[in-house]
Amino acid sequence: MKNNSLVERLSLQSESFQEGFELLIKCSTLEEMIKNFYHLLRGNFLATNLYITYKKSFASKWESIGLKFEIKEIDLSFLDHEKQLTVKYSQKEKYDVVVVLPLSDDSYLGIIVGKKLDKSPFNDFDKITLQILLQVFSSAYNSFLNQREVKRLIFDLNEKVLQLNSLIDTGIELSRFDKQNVLFELSLERAVSITNSSSGIILIYGTDSKTPEKQLAFPSNTNPKKVLENQFKIESTFKFDDKNYHFLLAEKETRKGATSFTELDVMLLESITRQVQAAIENEYLIEQSLEKERIEKELSLAATIQQRIIPKKLPEIEGFELSGINIPSREVGGDYYDCIDMGDGKYALIIADVAGKGISAALLVSTLNAAIYSYLEFDLPLTELIEKLNKLIFQSSPSDKYITFFIAVLHSKSGELNMVNAGHNPALLLREDGALEQIDAGGIGLGMLDFGMPYTDQNIILNRGDKLFLYTDGIPEAMNVNNEEYSDERMIEFFKEHASKSGESFINAMVKDTKSFVGEAVQSDDITTLILKKL
Amino acid sequence: MSEDFTIISELNNNILVLKTNGYINNTGGEKIAQEFSKHQDSVKKVVIDLEKSNVVNSIGISYLLEIVESLNESGGKLFFTNLDPTIEKTFQIMGIFQFAEKTDSIDSVVG
């Protein structure tokens, strides 16, 4: 064939080569490329048999990709040893043409062309056409690899955006949950999915415990033992409130099987674990804050109840001076005092202290107050009145609640005092001549027991200049920063020394001395006093 | 490790409906792709019902993307229904909805 004629024919074919290239670069898979290349070769050479094989690397085995033939059908022995582009023509062999085409990613294309339909040998035009088609495939394959790389890069970039987005969303979602089970389920699912793990578990251990007190797995049928023993695993832990939390992920997935986790995976897991830790800590702090708020509301209510019961103003008793004070502690105790005008010159002086603090103590004081007013109406003997109060308080309060109580009924015209002390601090009677008596006749505190134990009373006459001092343990048991008590002795001495002052002045001085002793320490109990002076 | 992924395949009006159950990871994605390949030459529309799958990883997504591309090249379409909001956002970010669609129900595709 003359050169001019060859060039002319190839020029006519150039459009066909261009179309072939465009067909190949549109293929999204290698299978599709090989299938189309097969048709391109068949169309050009009209060969009886045509085989295209592929191997991923020089050492790999030839595979049939995209074409319907078994690889064992053909003899590939003459393809195996070629690393360079090899094109062999031979009319004597079974096949006319054998080609090994090395591709840019170190993979290989093997092409075997059988006899042409017209039995004619491969001429120069066929040989040049084959060379051009090999170049076309090679270029299209490079384009295919580039497209695949671009796709991979876009996928990887999207995956990173997804991981970042997932971390942010997880943080927001975790902060909304107040149930720990939901918190753990969500965090485990997210940790598993954003790290492409096959599975994950959360193990929660108590202090010094080797067996987890709680465990979660995703997927739910995951065997924790297999995660713990897996060669591909990562772990993140934290400790909070005497519990150890372990997050474990196993087997980072790829399309080709499990592999080791990366540093990024470790960071992602730790990031989610920290978010869980923060959510648990926040939940704890919120609970604390709600509890504090609840207590403050209760104390506020208790203080309101207490303030309503304690008299704003004491009655004026002819021939006597009466003063009192109640200074609630920060935790609102159950101290109570009152002076009830019973008519006909009789007055009931009361001081009491409920065991415990807060709303329950305040309510018990309220019950006591109402009961006293009711029973005083019946003008019962004082001991009987106390027995009734004891029964009522015993029945209406829990076993750990009781009231220390002191009552003195003053007959102002005669100066007679009828008194019962139910488990309260002894009242102090200071006679004008300086003699001091402690009044403790009575019985047990109200509500302690209900065995019908009798109460005894005591009667005295108050003479001019005599003083009766009632108080709760908030004064003698007031404690300073060194855990030292103000003490009964110091209180009695102070009483004796300052009793000549007016009632209000004495009380103010007593409170001032107590607070001076306490100093920087917090007032832990109510301070309540009542002082009666015979003028 | 864990093999709790299951798939129910139904052919309805020449539309392939795949109902998945479990984590769509390498195993789950591969099972979906295998089921799709059995019907690849005969169906143009595929609906994947994700009601019982609320976790997916990017390996699983890579299989779904291949199905999307394959259907797109043959003039077909992939639909997803009963998407968990997290999965929907994941698909959005990973570009699945460039060629696939979200549908309210299987019936709205099957007709």
Side-chain angles (χ1 to χ4, degrees):
Chain A
M1 191 179 289
K2 286 183 180 176
N3 279 349
N4 283 351
S5 169
L6 189 63
V7 170
E8 206 171 292
R9 284 185 66 189
L10 286 169
S11 298
L12 289 171
Q13 280 287 88
S14 64
E15 201 171 321
S16 155
F17 296 145
Q18 182 63 32
E19 284 171 4
F21 178 72
E22 282 170 10
L23 179 70
L24 293 180
I25 60 167
K26 281 180 187 169
C27 297
S28 58
T29 63
L30 180 60
E31 288 82 354
E32 202 183 345
M33 273 187 84
I34 290 176
K35 201 186 280 184
N36 284 328
F37 190 52
Y38 172 87
H39 293 303
L40 211 56
L41 291 172
R42 263 204 106 129
N44 274 280
F45 303 122
L46 300 172
T48 50
N49 293 313
L50 179 65
Y51 302 97
I52 301 179
T53 61
Y54 176 81
K55 63 178 180 180
K56 287 172 188 161
S57 66
F58 184 71
S60 305
K61 287 186 174 175
W62 290 103
E63 300 172 65
S64 162
I65 290 180
L67 299 173
K68 290 174 183 172
F69 70 90
E70 292 290 329
I71 205 79
K72 60 188 178 189
E73 289 175 24
I74 50 173
D75 178 9
L76 297 166
S77 57
F78 33 76
L79 297 179
D80 281 346
H81 308 294
E82 305 298 342
K83 274 193 169 178
Q84 305 299 320
L85 172 63
T86 307
V87 184
K88 291 179 184 170
Y89 298 96
S90 171
Q91 274 259 288
K92 293 172 187 172
E93 301 291 338
K94 188 177 174 184
Y95 307 116
D96 269 15
V97 188
V98 175
V99 179
V100 175
L101 174 65
L103 298 167
S104 58
D105 61 348
D106 294 331
S107 62
Y108 291 84
L109 200 69
I111 302 164
I112 297 167
V113 186
K115 303 289 177 195
K116 288 169 75 176
L117 283 173
D118 60 5
K119 309 280 190 223
S120 64
F122 266 65
N123 57 29
D124 288 348
F125 177 76
D126 293 331
K127 288 177 182 173
I128 292 171
T129 299
L130 179 62
Q131 289 287 350
I132 291 170
L133 289 175
L134 291 178
Q135 186 58 48
V136 162
F137 184 87
S138 200
S139 300
Y141 187 76
N142 284 343
S143 168
F144 166 76
L145 289 180
N146 287 339
Q147 282 177 34
R148 200 164 65 175
E149 182 61 11
V150 168
K151 271 188 192 175
R152 191 189 64 77
L153 288 172
I154 290 171
F155 187 88
D156 285 352
L157 186 65
N158 286 344
E159 191 181 16
K160 295 288 174 287
V161 173
L162 181 65
Q163 285 171 333
L164 186 63
N165 203 279
S166 188
L167 268 187
I168 294 166
D169 284 355
T170 305
I172 294 167
E173 287 177 58
L174 290 181
S175 66
R176 288 183 190 147
F177 290 122
D178 56 359
K179 290 193 175 75
Q180 286 200 356
N181 268 356
V182 184
L183 192 85
F184 291 134
E185 276 172 27
L186 178 80
S187 59
L188 185 59
E189 284 175 8
R190 294 289 166 83
V192 166
S193 65
I194 66 171
T195 55
N196 287 328
S197 303
S198 164
S199 57
I201 53 170
I202 298 175
L203 303 174
I204 302 166
Y205 295 90
T207 316
D208 302 328
S209 171
K210 287 181 180 174
T211 310
E213 62 184 46
K214 189 173 183 179
Q215 59 185 43
L216 277 98
F218 180 82
S220 55
N221 63 343
T222 302
N223 182 345
K225 198 178 169 197
K226 288 193 174 176
V227 174
L228 288 164
E229 291 171 357
N230 203 289
Q231 61 167 321
F232 302 120
K233 68 170 184 290
I234 51 174
E235 183 174 4
S236 178
T237 62
F238 69 87
K239 188 177 178 183
F240 180 73
D241 200 20
D242 289 338
K243 284 188 179 160
N244 289 301
Y245 299 80
H246 293 244
F247 287 63
L248 290 109
L249 303 179
E251 289 186 352
K252 183 175 177 64
E253 295 186 337
T254 69
R255 293 282 285 258
K256 292 169 186 169
T259 185
S260 306
F261 286 96
T262 62
E263 282 183 19
L264 177 64
D265 296 322
V266 176
M267 284 169 67
L268 288 169
L269 174 62
E270 282 179 349
S271 178
I272 287 184
T273 311
R274 293 291 87 80
Q275 287 176 345
V276 174
Q277 184 178 3
I280 292 173
E281 285 174 0
N282 286 343
E283 189 188 338
Y284 177 80
L285 292 173
I286 288 166
E287 274 174 13
Q288 295 271 307
S289 162
L290 288 173
E291 177 65 11
K292 194 179 167 206
E293 196 179 321
R294 190 190 63 74
I295 289 168
E296 278 171 1
K297 273 186 185 168
E298 185 179 291
L299 291 178
S300 165
L301 184 59
T304 306
I305 293 169
Q306 201 177 27
Q307 279 162 19
R308 280 183 190 169
I309 292 169
I310 287 172
K312 288 186 175 64
K313 189 170 181 283
L314 290 167
E316 288 186 9
I317 305 171
E318 194 178 344
F320 290 86
E321 185 197 34
L322 178 66
S323 303
I325 197 168
N326 169 254
I327 303 169
S329 66
R330 203 163 61 93
E331 293 182 31
V332 185
D335 275 13
Y336 161 65
Y337 78 90
D338 204 351
C339 178
I340 301 165
D341 185 350
M342 297 167 67
D344 199 23
K346 283 167 70 180
Y347 296 88
L349 278 72
I350 298 151
I351 193 160
D353 182 3
V354 177
K357 298 178 191 307
I359 190 87
S360 58
L363 287 173
L364 203 55
V365 167
S366 179
T367 305
L368 176 72
N369 174 257
I372 291 168
Y373 271 87
S374 301
Y375 290 145
L376 284 176
E377 290 282 317
F378 297 102
D379 204 17
L380 300 168
L382 210 49
T383 51
E384 197 177 323
L385 183 143
I386 299 293
E387 279 164 22
K388 285 185 181 296
L389 283 176
N390 179 50
K391 194 177 279 292
L392 176 80
I393 299 301
F394 184 82
Q395 286 168 351
S396 59
S397 64
S399 58
D400 62 335
K401 283 273 183 293
Y402 60 91
I403 303 172
T404 66
F405 179 82
F406 184 93
I407 184 166
V409 173
L410 169 69
H411 297 255
S412 62
K413 291 172 187 169
S414 63
E416 186 187 342
L417 267 177
N418 180 211
M419 299 174 285
V420 175
N421 186 340
H424 197 74
N425 305 71
L428 301 176
L429 175 65
L430 186 65
R431 297 290 187 185
E432 174 67 3
D433 62 3
L436 184 81
E437 281 180 54
Q438 296 198 13
I439 314 291
D440 50 11
I444 57 169
L446 303 180
M448 274 182 163
L449 297 164
D450 185 26
F451 296 156
M453 288 172 73
Y455 285 88
T456 55
D457 61 349
Q458 187 174 348
N459 289 291
I460 58 161
I461 300 286
L462 282 181
N463 299 311
R464 186 184 174 86
D466 290 348
K467 296 115 194 161
L468 181 70
F469 177 43
L470 311 180
Y471 57 92
T472 57
D473 56 9
I475 294 176
E477 292 177 14
M479 211 168 269
N480 65 14
V481 287
N482 298 319
N483 286 337
E484 295 162 339
E485 284 189 353
Y486 185 78
S487 77
D488 289 313
E489 293 73 19
R490 179 165 175 162
M491 183 186 70
I492 290 168
E493 282 307 310
F494 191 91
F495 175 47
K496 283 159 75 175
E497 201 173 319
H498 298 274
S500 58
K501 291 178 177 170
S502 72
E504 196 177 327
S505 298
F506 167 74
I507 286 174
N508 287 340
M510 178 90 254
V511 169
K512 191 178 174 187
D513 192 54
T514 309
K515 288 194 169 179
S516 160
F517 173 81
V518 168
E520 297 289 310
V522 178
Q523 182 196 335
S524 59
D525 206 352
D526 293 3
I527 290 174
T528 307
T529 71
L530 202 59
I531 185 161
L532 178 72
K533 281 187 176 184
K534 172 81 169 135
L535 298 173
Chain B
M1 291 288 295
S2 56
E3 288 291 335
D4 68 346
F5 184 86
T6 56
I7 186 165
I8 296 170
S9 173
E10 293 167 4
L11 262 178
N12 195 336
N13 263 352
N14 227 27
I15 293 168
L16 178 64
V17 178
L18 303 174
K19 294 178 179 175
T20 65
N21 185 344
Y23 181 25
I24 302 179
N25 57 349
N26 192 37
T27 311
E30 200 169 19
K31 282 185 180 174
I32 295 171
Q34 280 167 1
E35 199 55 42
F36 167 70
S37 67
K38 288 182 200 167
H39 306 275
Q40 190 169 2
D41 297 332
S42 58
V43 297
K44 290 284 182 194
K45 286 183 182 176
V46 177
V47 186
I48 301 181
D49 183 348
L50 296 171
E51 188 183 3
K52 292 177 181 171
S53 289
N54 54 12
V55 184
V56 58
N57 71 9
S58 56
I59 308 299
I61 289 170
S62 71
Y63 284 101
L64 297 178
L65 276 170
E66 282 179 10
I67 297 172
V68 170
E69 284 176 356
S70 176
L71 282 166
N72 190 42
E73 279 158 18
S74 63
K77 192 115 195 166
L78 177 62
F79 298 86
F80 291 101
T81 191
N82 289 320
L83 283 164
D84 174 275
T86 306
I87 291 198
E88 185 174 342
K89 194 171 183 183
T90 300
F91 284 3
Q92 198 81 48
I93 292 169
M94 295 303 284
I96 283 191
F97 289 133
Q98 282 177 20
F99 299 105
E101 269 183 36
K102 178 191 166 190
T103 181
D104 293 336
S105 67
I106 294 170
D107 288 346
S108 60
V109 179
V110 175

